Amino acid sequence: MLDSCTNNALLPDTALYEPLMTWTEIISHEDSLQVFDHESGSDAAWTAVRPEYWTRRHVCDWLQFCCDQYKLDSNCIPISHFDLTGAQLCSMNKEEFIDWAGVSGECLYLILQNLQTDAMPVCDNPEEESAFFKECDTKGMLCAEDTKNQKGHNRVKSGQQASHLWEFVRDLLLTPGDHQRILEWEDRDVGIFRVVKSEALARMWGQKKKNNKMTYEKLSRALRHYYKTGILERVDRRLVYKFGKNAYGWQDCKTVM
DNA sequence: AGCGTATTTCCTGTTT
DNA sequence: CAAACAGGAAATACGC
């Protein structure tokens, strides 16, 4: 089986993003992030939006970009697996991602991680940018040599995803996989979900925050604080919550590939 | 050091 | 009765 990562000298330095934006430009678009309309899934390019907030369309565009620019073999990518949002994409850990994404998984994971973290060159210096992509290139080659036993990708930082409780909840809802029915969508279209296993949810949140004294009682108090900020809306049913107008990243985007 | 935000902790009362 | 919900109040954690 041919690993597409072997496929070329990836990243011909600065030419890489020529048709797109430089990182500096991308970062300067932070402001436009604030006004991005998640409801309508409107038009910001994936380059202008943080991966965690990508719509399905953005994920699709990003994948296409990776295939084009990194010469990944699209035949080796399970395209149907990428019918997911950025939040879903980002919530997978490395193992899950690689399982999910096929033989190019490690390459794609690395690219995504670098987009997510400040490993992105935040500078105006094209030389640094190009150095960044060279490093990315090197890692890409590594993954071609051995897709299994590469552990030391120190470049990939552990990331800052889901640092807030509501994001943690959201990502749990969106993550395909293994947390067995702790949360379930009640009405996905409008963002209503139900806490199925309250103690388990508290335990997971406690683990994440390294707080073994977390309880659902306390977690739910934190959730109720979200009512006043519009992250959540009240639903007068036990263990049922609804994402509010200030929550993002949970929607099921209608525009698909 | 000071501040603001996001919880965490505790509590009293109410509802399911 | 147990489990949740409602919020107020205060303590804490943490990033800037």
Side-chain angles (χ1 to χ4, degrees):
Chain A
M1 138 178 96
L2 169 146
D3 189 311
S4 37
C5 296
T6 56
N7 203 338
N8 70 336
L10 311 168
L11 309 170
D13 40 81
T14 49
L16 177 62
Y17 274 80
E18 219 148 64
L20 296 162
M21 306 158 92
T22 67
W23 288 118
T24 313
E25 287 168 335
I26 290 170
I27 287 151
S28 75
H29 271 62
E30 292 259 298
D31 289 346
S32 68
L33 259 180
Q34 317 282 327
V35 296
F36 177 69
D37 183 354
H38 294 280
E39 282 301 327
S40 64
S42 68
D43 289 319
W46 67 271
T47 49
V49 179
R50 290 192 173 284
E52 306 94 279
Y53 308 149
W54 283 348
T55 62
R56 285 160 197 272
R57 165 64 64 188
H58 288 144
V59 172
C60 177
D61 291 346
W62 168 73
L63 196 58
Q64 185 64 57
F65 163 81
C66 290
C67 289
D68 291 347
Q69 296 292 341
Y70 295 76
K71 299 290 184 286
L72 302 181
D73 184 351
S74 58
N75 292 322
C76 298
I77 297 175
I79 302 293
S80 61
H81 283 191
F82 285 87
D83 181 19
L84 34 70
T85 64
Q88 291 170 296
L89 200 64
C90 295
S91 64
M92 279 185 259
N93 66 31
K94 188 174 182 179
E95 283 69 33
E96 288 171 329
F97 191 102
I98 289 169
D99 279 346
W100 197 252
V103 294
S104 298
E106 191 153 358
C107 290
L108 290 168
Y109 184 79
L110 183 67
I111 297 163
L112 183 66
Q113 285 295 307
N114 281 318
L115 281 169
Q116 276 186 276
T117 65
D118 46 11
M120 288 193 305
V122 185
C123 63
D124 313 309
N125 182 349
E127 279 171 27
E128 270 188 56
E129 261 185 37
S130 133
F132 164 78
F133 287 124
K134 287 225 174 73
E135 180 163 5
C136 199
D137 181 8
T138 309
K139 304 290 187 187
M141 305 273 214
L142 274 176
C143 91
E145 283 157 17
D146 182 355
T147 53
K148 285 289 175 215
N149 299 320
Q150 289 297 332
K151 302 184 95 176
H153 281 186
N154 300 333
R155 193 85 167 87
V156 176
K157 299 183 181 169
S158 56
Q160 65 283 69
Q161 25 175 300
S163 59
H164 291 171
L165 172 57
W166 75 271
E167 294 173 309
F168 175 78
V169 167
R170 175 198 66 191
D171 292 347
L172 225 42
L173 278 159
L174 295 178
T175 306
D178 47 21
H179 47 273
Q180 55 289 12
R181 289 214 217 116
I182 288 172
L183 294 163
E184 269 180 5
W185 288 108
E186 192 107 309
D187 186 339
R188 186 171 180 162
D189 290 340
V190 296
I192 297 177
F193 60 93
R194 187 158 46 91
V195 178
V196 180
K197 293 181 181 170
S198 53
E199 0 51 49
L201 179 64
R203 208 176 310 124
M204 287 185 76
W205 177 239
Q207 273 169 13
K208 181 173 172 60
K209 298 292 290 289
K210 298 184 172 35
N211 173 1
N212 61 349
K213 295 199 269 306
M214 182 48 59
T215 63
Y216 179 70
E217 172 124 34
K218 290 187 280 189
L219 185 153
S220 67
R221 180 66 191 98
L223 291 178
R224 290 196 293 277
H225 277 306
Y226 286 133
Y227 293 148
K228 59 181 179 293
T229 53
I231 297 291
L232 294 178
E233 288 173 21
R234 199 168 274 115
V235 174
D236 70 343
R237 269 179 292 154
R238 292 188 141 204
L239 298 166
V240 178
Y241 299 86
K242 177 183 180 185
F243 288 117
K245 59 181 179 304
N246 292 326
Y248 49 79
W250 58 268
Q251 289 99 332
D252 191 11
C253 180
K254 280 98 190 167
T255 19
V256 186
M257 317 223 161

